Amino acid sequence: MEENVKKLTEFSAIKPTGTLTLGSYLGAIKNWNELCEEYNSIFCVADMHSITIRMDPAVLRRNALEQLAYYIASGLDTEKCILFIQSHVHEHAELSWVLGCYAMFGELSRMTQFKDKSAKNADNINGGLFTYPVLMAADILLYGTDVVPVGEDQRQHVELCRDIANRFNGVYGDVFKLPRAIVPKVGARVMSLTEPEKKMSKSDDNDPGSVMLRDTDDVIMRKFKRAVTDCETCVRFDPENKKGVSNLMTIYSAVTGKSYEEIEREFDGKGYGVFKPAVGEAVCDTVRPIREEANRLLADKAYLESIYADGAAKASRIAARTLSKVYKKVGFIKKA
């Protein structure tokens, strides 16, 4: 992909800590696709972020390759964007160290995700979990990123990235662009089918509340038929009082393009027995071609290797320029 100076740059990534879900697709990848026409787009498989939790190395490698395949199967065109695996571009780790020296302990300790994950993983509150947002800042700032498509839960990290960049620029001049988060209006936060107060989980393939992109049609339909609703029968968008139904409407809207008003009219008087299978069928129609294409790609390891090798080379060329500038600013001697 040739860099286009007339376009702004977007960067985003997902950790391969589990199987990609319907939420991963609707909340992130689908929107990346739409932004590729407008931006210079850079996306990665964030395997370095994944090891803040203990993972089987073989599982991490399998997940990372599978995630890359699903990126492509979901429509990301390697002629229009850069796709790479984070650990293949060493500049991410190097810039993270420098930025860590400009991130304050207090602001890192206030990160909501650090508090949440520390509570859930009390036996493994490691330094990587604490400095995770610094590596994320490095991911973003390496590429002169203008916009970062994220879910609401990641907005705080982008704000911290801006704070770190501002602090560095205040000392050394105009080095980093200040990125802004963009959150898609529909499908930005797809919740669990069984616990609509929580996001779909990638970590458990057997979770009945999470629809995985690798799920078969039968499995998807079964999950939607068992989805939590309420004691009414009215299909109405009310996120406060009808969380389960509203989540199903959000999903249906995202895969069909219909507005909430259109959905309410479509299912007026029909009840949940009609509504839930209809949502399931619409999701099957969306997921099926992605799953089939991903399975085809995973059977061609040589092709996937060529994609991630080419992507890493392109990403590294951009990242190296940024890191070289940063190293010069902080006073490191240029390598001979």
Side-chain angles (χ1 to χ4, degrees):
M1 185 189 76
E2 295 296 324
E3 289 182 69
N4 186 337
V5 295
K6 295 181 182 179
K7 288 184 177 182
L8 298 178
T9 296
E10 61 159 332
F11 175 91
S12 200
I14 299 174
K15 294 180 297 181
T17 49
T19 305
L20 289 176
T21 67
L22 179 66
S24 308
Y25 173 70
L26 296 179
I29 303 170
K30 181 174 183 284
N31 300 294
W32 296 355
N33 247 323
E34 294 166 359
L35 293 168
C36 276
E37 299 299 327
E38 185 179 350
Y39 296 94
N40 288 321
S41 301
I42 303 171
F43 307 116
C44 85
V45 176
D47 57 340
M48 292 170 67
H49 284 288
S50 300
I51 62 171
T52 58
I53 61 174
R54 298 291 176 257
M55 290 192 67
D56 181 318
V59 172
L60 178 56
R61 284 190 287 269
R62 184 195 69 203
N63 286 355
L65 195 63
E66 183 179 271
Q67 187 164 300
L68 182 73
Y70 272 99
Y71 280 178
I72 301 167
S74 296
L76 292 180
D77 185 345
T78 55
E79 295 298 316
K80 296 180 179 179
C81 65
I82 295 174
L83 298 179
F84 69 100
I85 296 172
Q86 184 187 26
S87 62
H88 292 181
V89 180
H90 63 83
E91 288 86 357
H92 286 253
E94 294 185 50
L95 182 60
S96 180
W97 169 251
V98 176
L99 296 182
C101 298
Y102 295 84
M104 299 298 105
F105 184 90
E107 59 192 1
L108 290 176
S109 64
R110 289 191 294 271
M111 291 291 103
T112 302
Q113 282 210 341
F114 173 69
K115 294 177 182 177
D116 292 346
K117 290 182 178 180
S118 295
K120 294 175 183 175
N121 301 280
D123 60 339
N124 185 29
I125 306 174
N126 56 71
L129 191 63
F130 188 69
T131 58
Y132 179 108
V134 180
L135 178 56
M136 183 172 169
D139 299 339
I140 296 165
L141 296 176
L142 272 173
Y143 301 101
T145 302
D146 296 283
V147 298
V148 188
V150 292
E152 280 290 351
D153 60 326
Q154 290 289 331
R155 188 190 287 272
Q156 188 185 35
H157 286 169
V158 179
E159 289 304 312
L160 177 64
C161 173
R162 289 172 58 89
D163 291 342
I164 295 171
N166 251 325
R167 189 173 293 126
F168 193 92
N169 288 351
V171 177
Y172 299 107
D174 188 16
V175 179
F176 295 120
K177 285 185 179 180
L178 300 184
R180 61 185 176 88
I182 54 173
V183 180
K185 293 178 181 178
V186 176
R189 195 164 171 81
V190 176
M191 313 305 282
S192 166
L193 300 184
T194 54
E195 298 178 87
E197 300 83 11
K198 299 179 181 179
K199 283 177 65 177
M200 279 192 180
S201 170
K202 293 190 299 178
S203 59
D204 183 2
D205 283 7
N206 298 314
D207 180 1
S210 294
V211 177
M212 308 298 181
L213 293 184
R214 64 158 70 135
D215 282 347
T216 63
D217 287 2
D218 286 347
V219 171
I220 291 172
M221 289 303 297
R222 187 161 61 248
K223 287 179 177 179
F224 274 98
K225 287 177 181 178
R226 295 175 180 174
V228 167
T229 49
D230 50 51
C231 58
E232 298 180 4
T233 58
C234 176
V235 176
R236 186 180 76 254
F237 191 73
D238 182 353
E240 284 299 314
N241 302 305
K242 296 172 71 69
K243 288 183 170 62
V245 172
S246 297
N247 184 42
L248 292 175
M249 290 181 70
T250 296
I251 293 168
Y252 193 63
S253 175
V255 298
T256 64
K258 296 178 181 179
S259 69
Y260 295 135
E261 292 78 12
E262 289 174 318
I263 296 168
E264 288 173 1
R265 287 196 297 271
E266 180 180 351
F267 295 99
D268 183 28
K270 294 182 180 178
Y272 302 150
V274 174
F275 175 54
K276 291 197 290 184
V279 180
E281 288 169 7
V283 168
C284 286
D285 290 343
T286 297
V287 170
R288 188 184 308 112
I290 296 173
R291 179 182 66 244
E292 291 174 351
E293 177 63 7
N295 288 338
R296 187 190 70 78
L297 291 168
L298 285 165
D300 190 352
K301 296 293 194 297
Y303 172 74
L304 289 176
E305 182 176 336
S306 71
I307 293 297
Y308 67 66
D310 183 59
K314 290 175 179 176
S316 191
R317 281 197 292 272
I318 303 169
R321 291 198 295 269
T322 301
L323 187 66
S324 177
K325 186 176 182 180
V326 168
Y327 274 14
K328 182 177 180 181
K329 289 289 186 181
V330 300
F332 292 164
I333 295 172
K334 186 176 181 180
K335 186 166 64 175

